[in-house]
Amino acid sequence: MGKRHEVALIPGDGIGPEVIGAAVRVIEAAGADIEWREGVLGAVALEKFGSPVPQYVLDLIRETKVALKGPVTTPIGTGFTSANVTLRKSLELYASLRPVRNLPSIRSCYAGIDLVVVRENTEGLYSGIEHEVTPGVVESLKIITEKASTRISEFAFRYATENRRQKITVVHKANIMKMSDGLFLECARRVASKYPDIEYEEMIVDSTCMQLVMNPYRFDVLLMENLYGDILSELCSGLVGGVAVVPGANLGDEMAVFEAVHGSAPDRAGTGTANPLGVILSSVLMLRHLGENKAADRIDKAIASVLTEGRTLTPDLGGTATTDEMADAIAGAAAAVETADKRG
Ligand code: NAD
């Protein structure tokens, strides 16, 4: 008999294959019935298939509708366009969702943080439209459309309603970028008027950064365009212990790609010191998306028990465990919860 779900698996590069391998072991130990179909992106794909985002990977995700992805390195200054940006644009994965919460025993500046960053994923300055006007002068275009701004605003308000969130803060710089951020705000206001039960506020991006550091508890859902979302979601991860412990999802109407907030961490690749939690937590989001709530609950419980016990943690969390050792501890705990579930 075939497996219950087919999921595209993109290990990525740098620490990607290590943390993705760890997540797959945990998902299988939790009893989720998944057939993995592997694809490659980035430099490896460029060398093998002549493109950092080969057509077969786009077709694969269009077919499976769901993917679990590791980080992919983007060359700085020169070289190919980010495979991540191309993938999100090509598959219309217009909403980036990053829930930011404290986890047991992970040291951080704050406790009790529970906020969500919703980022527009397909345009803004990440449209990648740049050119040299004349030697010494370059132009980078920020594209904001009514369609994409309305679509992401509707996503955020729907998400807030379905997840019993109270407030949405729209982050902008419309005092300076009056037309582009002005249009984003206009669309958000129009959508907000249809959701009177959700508190709505607007805040300038620089002030938001200060407020997030001074009093993060005043925020619930943060909604913003692409670049602010990229920067602020990393700032938010810093409130709860850093990029290695925050999950993420790139969502469209048809497809979903789940990946951690962190990058390929070339400084850690091959050292066995990468923290697998970001990808494992992203897998939990994926399992809930697939309706595999029991497996997701088992992994949540397993993570809580391994963190609370505090014996098998990677170096960034103050321990000495390797990526594999931490993953095995979580997988073991998830399998134990599954066995207990089966015994009833
Ligand atoms: P990074 O997130 O890779 O690393 C930042 C810091 O966090 C480093 O010190 C790294 O060691 C640490 N870190 C990251 N993940 C960790 C983990 N799981 N466990 C322990 N420590 C971890 O960010 P960067 O250095 O700015 O980017 C490296 C590359 O990744 C770049 O090419 C960038 O374009 C790419 N990137 C890819 C994605 C993606 O594929 N979605 C996201 C962000 C960055």
Side-chain angles (χ1 to χ4, degrees), residues 15 19 69-75 84 88 234 243-244 259-268 273-276 316:
I15 59 168
V19 288
K69 174 185 165 296
V72 176
T73 304
T74 308
N84 302 309
R88 292 165 194 164
E234 288 223 10
V243 281
E259 63 179 338
V261 168
H262 64 74
S264 57
D267 53 332
R268 284 187 189 270
T273 60
N275 181 344
D316 61 307

PDB file of all heavy atoms in Angstrom, residues 15 19 69-75 84 88 234 243-244 259-268 273-276 316, ligand 1:
ATOM      1  N   ILE A  15      24.478  23.394   6.454  1.00  0.00           N
ATOM      2  CA  ILE A  15      23.963  22.473   7.495  1.00  0.00           C
ATOM      3  C   ILE A  15      22.640  21.829   7.083  1.00  0.00           C
ATOM      4  O   ILE A  15      22.113  20.984   7.812  1.00  0.00           O
ATOM      5  CB  ILE A  15      23.751  23.200   8.856  1.00  0.00           C
ATOM      6  CG1 ILE A  15      22.745  24.361   8.708  1.00  0.00           C
ATOM      7  CG2 ILE A  15      25.064  23.668   9.440  1.00  0.00           C
ATOM      8  CD1 ILE A  15      22.264  24.924  10.041  1.00  0.00           C
ATOM      9  N   VAL A  19      20.404  18.916   9.222  1.00  0.00           N
ATOM     10  CA  VAL A  19      19.196  19.201  10.014  1.00  0.00           C
ATOM     11  C   VAL A  19      17.953  18.587   9.375  1.00  0.00           C
ATOM     12  O   VAL A  19      17.022  18.166  10.067  1.00  0.00           O
ATOM     13  CB  VAL A  19      19.012  20.723  10.277  1.00  0.00           C
ATOM     14  CG1 VAL A  19      20.029  21.217  11.281  1.00  0.00           C
ATOM     15  CG2 VAL A  19      19.077  21.561   9.015  1.00  0.00           C
ATOM     16  N   LYS A  69      11.948  21.851   3.462  1.00  0.00           N
ATOM     17  CA  LYS A  69      13.153  22.363   2.795  1.00  0.00           C
ATOM     18  C   LYS A  69      14.225  22.784   3.793  1.00  0.00           C
ATOM     19  O   LYS A  69      13.913  23.410   4.808  1.00  0.00           O
ATOM     20  CB  LYS A  69      12.726  23.556   1.928  1.00  0.00           C
ATOM     21  CG  LYS A  69      13.853  24.290   1.271  1.00  0.00           C
ATOM     22  CD  LYS A  69      13.350  25.527   0.537  1.00  0.00           C
ATOM     23  CE  LYS A  69      14.502  26.440   0.198  1.00  0.00           C
ATOM     24  NZ  LYS A  69      15.200  26.993   1.370  1.00  0.00           N
ATOM     25  N   GLY A  70      15.467  22.467   3.489  1.00  0.00           N
ATOM     26  CA  GLY A  70      16.602  22.964   4.261  1.00  0.00           C
ATOM     27  C   GLY A  70      17.064  24.290   3.669  1.00  0.00           C
ATOM     28  O   GLY A  70      16.628  24.680   2.586  1.00  0.00           O
ATOM     29  N   PRO A  71      17.963  24.983   4.384  1.00  0.00           N
ATOM     30  CA  PRO A  71      18.440  26.268   3.875  1.00  0.00           C
ATOM     31  C   PRO A  71      19.317  26.109   2.630  1.00  0.00           C
ATOM     32  O   PRO A  71      19.977  25.080   2.462  1.00  0.00           O
ATOM     33  CB  PRO A  71      19.269  26.811   5.040  1.00  0.00           C
ATOM     34  CG  PRO A  71      19.665  25.604   5.822  1.00  0.00           C
ATOM     35  CD  PRO A  71      18.564  24.603   5.658  1.00  0.00           C
ATOM     36  N   VAL A  72      19.300  27.133   1.795  1.00  0.00           N
ATOM     37  CA  VAL A  72      20.089  27.125   0.561  1.00  0.00           C
ATOM     38  C   VAL A  72      20.934  28.403   0.521  1.00  0.00           C
ATOM     39  O   VAL A  72      20.414  29.503   0.715  1.00  0.00           O
ATOM     40  CB  VAL A  72      19.154  27.066  -0.680  1.00  0.00           C
ATOM     41  CG1 VAL A  72      19.958  27.161  -1.962  1.00  0.00           C
ATOM     42  CG2 VAL A  72      18.331  25.784  -0.662  1.00  0.00           C
ATOM     43  N   THR A  73      22.227  28.244   0.288  1.00  0.00           N
ATOM     44  CA  THR A  73      23.153  29.385   0.256  1.00  0.00           C
ATOM     45  C   THR A  73      22.914  30.256  -0.983  1.00  0.00           C
ATOM     46  O   THR A  73      22.700  29.727  -2.075  1.00  0.00           O
ATOM     47  CB  THR A  73      24.611  28.864   0.231  1.00  0.00           C
ATOM     48  OG1 THR A  73      24.786  28.006   1.364  1.00  0.00           O
ATOM     49  CG2 THR A  73      25.625  29.991   0.265  1.00  0.00           C
ATOM     50  N   THR A  74      22.975  31.587  -0.783  1.00  0.00           N
ATOM     51  CA  THR A  74      22.878  32.524  -1.908  1.00  0.00           C
ATOM     52  C   THR A  74      24.188  33.293  -1.997  1.00  0.00           C
ATOM     53  O   THR A  74      24.619  33.879  -0.988  1.00  0.00           O
ATOM     54  CB  THR A  74      21.738  33.548  -1.672  1.00  0.00           C
ATOM     55  OG1 THR A  74      20.547  32.837  -1.371  1.00  0.00           O
ATOM     56  CG2 THR A  74      21.526  34.427  -2.887  1.00  0.00           C
ATOM     57  N   PRO A  75      24.833  33.296  -3.169  1.00  0.00           N
ATOM     58  CA  PRO A  75      26.087  34.052  -3.280  1.00  0.00           C
ATOM     59  C   PRO A  75      25.845  35.546  -3.020  1.00  0.00           C
ATOM     60  O   PRO A  75      24.805  36.081  -3.402  1.00  0.00           O
ATOM     61  CB  PRO A  75      26.538  33.821  -4.729  1.00  0.00           C
ATOM     62  CG  PRO A  75      25.511  32.979  -5.388  1.00  0.00           C
ATOM     63  CD  PRO A  75      24.423  32.659  -4.427  1.00  0.00           C
ATOM     64  N   ASN A  84      15.767  30.692  -3.022  1.00  0.00           N
ATOM     65  CA  ASN A  84      14.620  30.803  -2.108  1.00  0.00           C
ATOM     66  C   ASN A  84      13.595  31.791  -2.641  1.00  0.00           C
ATOM     67  O   ASN A  84      12.404  31.531  -2.664  1.00  0.00           O
ATOM     68  CB  ASN A  84      15.099  31.254  -0.727  1.00  0.00           C
ATOM     69  CG  ASN A  84      16.125  30.293  -0.166  1.00  0.00           C
ATOM     70  OD1 ASN A  84      15.894  29.090  -0.127  1.00  0.00           O
ATOM     71  ND2 ASN A  84      17.274  30.813   0.234  1.00  0.00           N
ATOM     72  N   ARG A  88       9.776  30.924  -4.034  1.00  0.00           N
ATOM     73  CA  ARG A  88       8.572  31.528  -3.442  1.00  0.00           C
ATOM     74  C   ARG A  88       7.759  32.256  -4.505  1.00  0.00           C
ATOM     75  O   ARG A  88       6.527  32.179  -4.515  1.00  0.00           O
ATOM     76  CB  ARG A  88       8.974  32.498  -2.324  1.00  0.00           C
ATOM     77  CG  ARG A  88       9.581  31.782  -1.129  1.00  0.00           C
ATOM     78  CD  ARG A  88      10.298  32.730  -0.192  1.00  0.00           C
ATOM     79  NE  ARG A  88      11.131  32.001   0.753  1.00  0.00           N
ATOM     80  CZ  ARG A  88      12.099  32.542   1.485  1.00  0.00           C
ATOM     81  NH1 ARG A  88      12.362  33.836   1.387  1.00  0.00           N
ATOM     82  NH2 ARG A  88      12.807  31.820   2.310  1.00  0.00           N
ATOM     83  N   GLU A 234      13.920  37.955  11.992  1.00  0.00           N
ATOM     84  CA  GLU A 234      15.172  37.546  12.673  1.00  0.00           C
ATOM     85  C   GLU A 234      15.310  38.276  14.007  1.00  0.00           C
ATOM     86  O   GLU A 234      15.771  37.715  14.992  1.00  0.00           O
ATOM     87  CB  GLU A 234      16.384  37.801  11.771  1.00  0.00           C
ATOM     88  CG  GLU A 234      16.419  36.809  10.634  1.00  0.00           C
ATOM     89  CD  GLU A 234      17.797  36.230  10.327  1.00  0.00           C
ATOM     90  OE1 GLU A 234      18.756  36.426  11.094  1.00  0.00           O
ATOM     91  OE2 GLU A 234      17.906  35.573   9.277  1.00  0.00           O
ATOM     92  N   VAL A 243      17.878  32.344  15.732  1.00  0.00           N
ATOM     93  CA  VAL A 243      17.335  31.768  14.489  1.00  0.00           C
ATOM     94  C   VAL A 243      17.203  30.247  14.514  1.00  0.00           C
ATOM     95  O   VAL A 243      16.407  29.682  13.773  1.00  0.00           O
ATOM     96  CB  VAL A 243      18.189  32.138  13.243  1.00  0.00           C
ATOM     97  CG1 VAL A 243      17.905  33.527  12.750  1.00  0.00           C
ATOM     98  CG2 VAL A 243      19.666  31.882  13.459  1.00  0.00           C
ATOM     99  N   ALA A 244      17.986  29.593  15.366  1.00  0.00           N
ATOM    100  CA  ALA A 244      17.982  28.121  15.329  1.00  0.00           C
ATOM    101  C   ALA A 244      16.747  27.513  15.973  1.00  0.00           C
ATOM    102  O   ALA A 244      16.528  26.309  15.865  1.00  0.00           O
ATOM    103  CB  ALA A 244      19.244  27.587  16.013  1.00  0.00           C
ATOM    104  N   GLU A 259      10.139  25.560   6.186  1.00  0.00           N
ATOM    105  CA  GLU A 259      11.589  25.672   6.404  1.00  0.00           C
ATOM    106  C   GLU A 259      11.860  26.512   7.642  1.00  0.00           C
ATOM    107  O   GLU A 259      11.043  27.354   8.025  1.00  0.00           O
ATOM    108  CB  GLU A 259      12.282  26.291   5.180  1.00  0.00           C
ATOM    109  CG  GLU A 259      11.868  27.705   4.869  1.00  0.00           C
ATOM    110  CD  GLU A 259      12.585  28.298   3.654  1.00  0.00           C
ATOM    111  OE1 GLU A 259      13.658  27.808   3.301  1.00  0.00           O
ATOM    112  OE2 GLU A 259      12.053  29.266   3.092  1.00  0.00           O
ATOM    113  N   ALA A 260      13.025  26.270   8.255  1.00  0.00           N
ATOM    114  CA  ALA A 260      13.398  27.035   9.440  1.00  0.00           C
ATOM    115  C   ALA A 260      13.748  28.469   9.036  1.00  0.00           C
ATOM    116  O   ALA A 260      13.946  28.764   7.862  1.00  0.00           O
ATOM    117  CB  ALA A 260      14.596  26.366  10.105  1.00  0.00           C
ATOM    118  N   VAL A 261      13.843  29.340  10.026  1.00  0.00           N
ATOM    119  CA  VAL A 261      14.198  30.742   9.759  1.00  0.00           C
ATOM    120  C   VAL A 261      15.687  30.871   9.409  1.00  0.00           C
ATOM    121  O   VAL A 261      16.076  31.712   8.603  1.00  0.00           O
ATOM    122  CB  VAL A 261      13.851  31.604  11.007  1.00  0.00           C
ATOM    123  CG1 VAL A 261      14.466  32.989  10.914  1.00  0.00           C
ATOM    124  CG2 VAL A 261      12.337  31.701  11.159  1.00  0.00           C
ATOM    125  N   HIS A 262      16.507  29.999   9.986  1.00  0.00           N
ATOM    126  CA  HIS A 262      17.956  30.160   9.818  1.00  0.00           C
ATOM    127  C   HIS A 262      18.434  29.821   8.408  1.00  0.00           C
ATOM    128  O   HIS A 262      17.730  29.199   7.612  1.00  0.00           O
ATOM    129  CB  HIS A 262      18.734  29.317  10.847  1.00  0.00           C
ATOM    130  CG  HIS A 262      18.544  27.833  10.701  1.00  0.00           C
ATOM    131  ND1 HIS A 262      19.133  27.111   9.693  1.00  0.00           N
ATOM    132  CD2 HIS A 262      17.834  26.948  11.446  1.00  0.00           C
ATOM    133  CE1 HIS A 262      18.801  25.834   9.831  1.00  0.00           C
ATOM    134  NE2 HIS A 262      18.005  25.711  10.875  1.00  0.00           N
ATOM    135  N   GLY A 263      19.675  30.245   8.115  1.00  0.00           N
ATOM    136  CA  GLY A 263      20.287  29.978   6.824  1.00  0.00           C
ATOM    137  C   GLY A 263      21.149  28.726   6.862  1.00  0.00           C
ATOM    138  O   GLY A 263      21.021  27.882   7.763  1.00  0.00           O
ATOM    139  N   SER A 264      22.063  28.637   5.882  1.00  0.00           N
ATOM    140  CA  SER A 264      22.847  27.417   5.718  1.00  0.00           C
ATOM    141  C   SER A 264      24.050  27.334   6.664  1.00  0.00           C
ATOM    142  O   SER A 264      24.781  26.343   6.651  1.00  0.00           O
ATOM    143  CB  SER A 264      23.328  27.320   4.262  1.00  0.00           C
ATOM    144  OG  SER A 264      24.061  28.481   3.933  1.00  0.00           O
ATOM    145  N   ALA A 265      24.256  28.379   7.473  1.00  0.00           N
ATOM    146  CA  ALA A 265      25.317  28.403   8.495  1.00  0.00           C
ATOM    147  C   ALA A 265      26.604  27.739   8.025  1.00  0.00           C
ATOM    148  O   ALA A 265      27.035  26.726   8.607  1.00  0.00           O
ATOM    149  CB  ALA A 265      24.815  27.764   9.795  1.00  0.00           C
ATOM    150  N   PRO A 266      27.259  28.279   6.990  1.00  0.00           N
ATOM    151  CA  PRO A 266      28.463  27.603   6.460  1.00  0.00           C
ATOM    152  C   PRO A 266      29.538  27.409   7.530  1.00  0.00           C
ATOM    153  O   PRO A 266      30.320  26.455   7.454  1.00  0.00           O
ATOM    154  CB  PRO A 266      28.962  28.570   5.369  1.00  0.00           C
ATOM    155  CG  PRO A 266      27.872  29.562   5.137  1.00  0.00           C
ATOM    156  CD  PRO A 266      26.929  29.516   6.298  1.00  0.00           C
ATOM    157  N   ASP A 267      29.534  28.293   8.559  1.00  0.00           N
ATOM    158  CA  ASP A 267      30.539  28.156   9.626  1.00  0.00           C
ATOM    159  C   ASP A 267      30.350  26.870  10.436  1.00  0.00           C
ATOM    160  O   ASP A 267      31.258  26.416  11.118  1.00  0.00           O
ATOM    161  CB  ASP A 267      30.507  29.399  10.556  1.00  0.00           C
ATOM    162  CG  ASP A 267      29.106  29.714  11.120  1.00  0.00           C
ATOM    163  OD1 ASP A 267      28.102  29.381  10.453  1.00  0.00           O
ATOM    164  OD2 ASP A 267      29.028  30.286  12.224  1.00  0.00           O
ATOM    165  N   ARG A 268      29.169  26.269  10.374  1.00  0.00           N
ATOM    166  CA  ARG A 268      28.908  25.062  11.167  1.00  0.00           C
ATOM    167  C   ARG A 268      28.797  23.797  10.311  1.00  0.00           C
ATOM    168  O   ARG A 268      28.768  22.689  10.848  1.00  0.00           O
ATOM    169  CB  ARG A 268      27.582  25.211  11.913  1.00  0.00           C
ATOM    170  CG  ARG A 268      27.670  26.116  13.094  1.00  0.00           C
ATOM    171  CD  ARG A 268      26.382  26.087  13.887  1.00  0.00           C
ATOM    172  NE  ARG A 268      26.400  27.119  14.895  1.00  0.00           N
ATOM    173  CZ  ARG A 268      26.870  26.937  16.119  1.00  0.00           C
ATOM    174  NH1 ARG A 268      27.326  25.769  16.488  1.00  0.00           N
ATOM    175  NH2 ARG A 268      26.873  27.933  16.978  1.00  0.00           N
ATOM    176  N   THR A 273      27.442  20.344  14.736  1.00  0.00           N
ATOM    177  CA  THR A 273      27.002  21.194  15.859  1.00  0.00           C
ATOM    178  C   THR A 273      25.712  21.956  15.550  1.00  0.00           C
ATOM    179  O   THR A 273      25.267  22.768  16.352  1.00  0.00           O
ATOM    180  CB  THR A 273      28.084  22.234  16.230  1.00  0.00           C
ATOM    181  OG1 THR A 273      28.324  23.059  15.069  1.00  0.00           O
ATOM    182  CG2 THR A 273      29.369  21.589  16.674  1.00  0.00           C
ATOM    183  N   ALA A 274      25.112  21.724  14.375  1.00  0.00           N
ATOM    184  CA  ALA A 274      23.894  22.477  14.028  1.00  0.00           C
ATOM    185  C   ALA A 274      22.727  22.030  14.905  1.00  0.00           C
ATOM    186  O   ALA A 274      22.531  20.838  15.138  1.00  0.00           O
ATOM    187  CB  ALA A 274      23.556  22.259  12.560  1.00  0.00           C
ATOM    188  N   ASN A 275      21.976  23.000  15.346  1.00  0.00           N
ATOM    189  CA  ASN A 275      20.778  22.714  16.143  1.00  0.00           C
ATOM    190  C   ASN A 275      19.643  22.326  15.183  1.00  0.00           C
ATOM    191  O   ASN A 275      19.282  23.112  14.312  1.00  0.00           O
ATOM    192  CB  ASN A 275      20.434  23.998  16.917  1.00  0.00           C
ATOM    193  CG  ASN A 275      19.227  23.833  17.799  1.00  0.00           C
ATOM    194  OD1 ASN A 275      18.453  22.892  17.650  1.00  0.00           O
ATOM    195  ND2 ASN A 275      19.070  24.769  18.724  1.00  0.00           N
ATOM    196  N   PRO A 276      19.065  21.140  15.345  1.00  0.00           N
ATOM    197  CA  PRO A 276      18.019  20.708  14.402  1.00  0.00           C
ATOM    198  C   PRO A 276      16.624  21.228  14.739  1.00  0.00           C
ATOM    199  O   PRO A 276      15.667  20.951  14.021  1.00  0.00           O
ATOM    200  CB  PRO A 276      18.066  19.181  14.541  1.00  0.00           C
ATOM    201  CG  PRO A 276      18.476  18.945  15.960  1.00  0.00           C
ATOM    202  CD  PRO A 276      19.381  20.094  16.345  1.00  0.00           C
ATOM    203  N   ASP A 316      24.938  25.464  20.839  1.00  0.00           N
ATOM    204  CA  ASP A 316      24.307  26.799  20.895  1.00  0.00           C
ATOM    205  C   ASP A 316      23.302  26.892  22.040  1.00  0.00           C
ATOM    206  O   ASP A 316      22.962  27.989  22.478  1.00  0.00           O
ATOM    207  CB  ASP A 316      23.611  27.124  19.555  1.00  0.00           C
ATOM    208  CG  ASP A 316      22.512  26.137  19.225  1.00  0.00           C
ATOM    209  OD1 ASP A 316      22.784  24.926  19.223  1.00  0.00           O
ATOM    210  OD2 ASP A 316      21.376  26.581  19.000  1.00  0.00           O
TER     211      ASP A 316
HETATM  212  P1  NAD B   1      22.623  31.825   9.118  1.00  0.00           P
HETATM  213  O1  NAD B   1      21.250  31.726   9.720  1.00  0.00           O
HETATM  214  O2  NAD B   1      23.038  30.721   8.240  1.00  0.00           O
HETATM  215  O3  NAD B   1      23.708  31.960  10.312  1.00  0.00           O
HETATM  216  C1  NAD B   1      23.687  33.019  11.246  1.00  0.00           C
HETATM  217  C2  NAD B   1      24.343  32.541  12.546  1.00  0.00           C
HETATM  218  O4  NAD B   1      23.467  31.611  13.203  1.00  0.00           O
HETATM  219  C3  NAD B   1      25.666  31.784  12.331  1.00  0.00           C
HETATM  220  O5  NAD B   1      26.532  32.100  13.393  1.00  0.00           O
HETATM  221  C4  NAD B   1      25.272  30.312  12.387  1.00  0.00           C
HETATM  222  O6  NAD B   1      26.286  29.464  12.847  1.00  0.00           O
HETATM  223  C5  NAD B   1      24.109  30.353  13.384  1.00  0.00           C
HETATM  224  N1  NAD B   1      23.126  29.308  13.076  1.00  0.00           N
HETATM  225  C6  NAD B   1      22.240  29.305  12.039  1.00  0.00           C
HETATM  226  N2  NAD B   1      21.526  28.181  12.066  1.00  0.00           N
HETATM  227  C7  NAD B   1      21.944  27.474  13.112  1.00  0.00           C
HETATM  228  C8  NAD B   1      21.586  26.211  13.664  1.00  0.00           C
HETATM  229  N3  NAD B   1      20.613  25.463  13.118  1.00  0.00           N
HETATM  230  N4  NAD B   1      22.234  25.772  14.754  1.00  0.00           N
HETATM  231  C9  NAD B   1      23.195  26.514  15.329  1.00  0.00           C
HETATM  232  N5  NAD B   1      23.581  27.724  14.873  1.00  0.00           N
HETATM  233  C10 NAD B   1      22.971  28.181  13.775  1.00  0.00           C
HETATM  234  O7  NAD B   1      22.672  33.227   8.367  1.00  0.00           O
HETATM  235  P2  NAD B   1      23.750  33.827   7.366  1.00  0.00           P
HETATM  236  O8  NAD B   1      25.136  33.479   7.832  1.00  0.00           O
HETATM  237  O9  NAD B   1      23.364  35.226   7.210  1.00  0.00           O
HETATM  238  O10 NAD B   1      23.485  33.092   5.982  1.00  0.00           O
HETATM  239  C11 NAD B   1      24.235  31.990   5.488  1.00  0.00           C
HETATM  240  C12 NAD B   1      23.687  31.607   4.123  1.00  0.00           C
HETATM  241  O11 NAD B   1      22.343  31.123   4.263  1.00  0.00           O
HETATM  242  C13 NAD B   1      23.613  32.766   3.121  1.00  0.00           C
HETATM  243  O12 NAD B   1      24.015  32.286   1.870  1.00  0.00           O
HETATM  244  C14 NAD B   1      22.130  33.134   3.089  1.00  0.00           C
HETATM  245  O13 NAD B   1      21.758  33.682   1.854  1.00  0.00           O
HETATM  246  C15 NAD B   1      21.505  31.771   3.312  1.00  0.00           C
HETATM  247  N6  NAD B   1      20.132  31.833   3.883  1.00  0.00           N
HETATM  248  C16 NAD B   1      19.248  30.928   3.396  1.00  0.00           C
HETATM  249  C17 NAD B   1      17.972  30.903   3.922  1.00  0.00           C
HETATM  250  C18 NAD B   1      16.995  29.891   3.372  1.00  0.00           C
HETATM  251  O14 NAD B   1      17.386  28.994   2.637  1.00  0.00           O
HETATM  252  N7  NAD B   1      15.727  30.012   3.690  1.00  0.00           N
HETATM  253  C19 NAD B   1      17.605  31.767   4.960  1.00  0.00           C
HETATM  254  C20 NAD B   1      18.559  32.649   5.452  1.00  0.00           C
HETATM  255  C21 NAD B   1      19.830  32.670   4.912  1.00  0.00           C
END
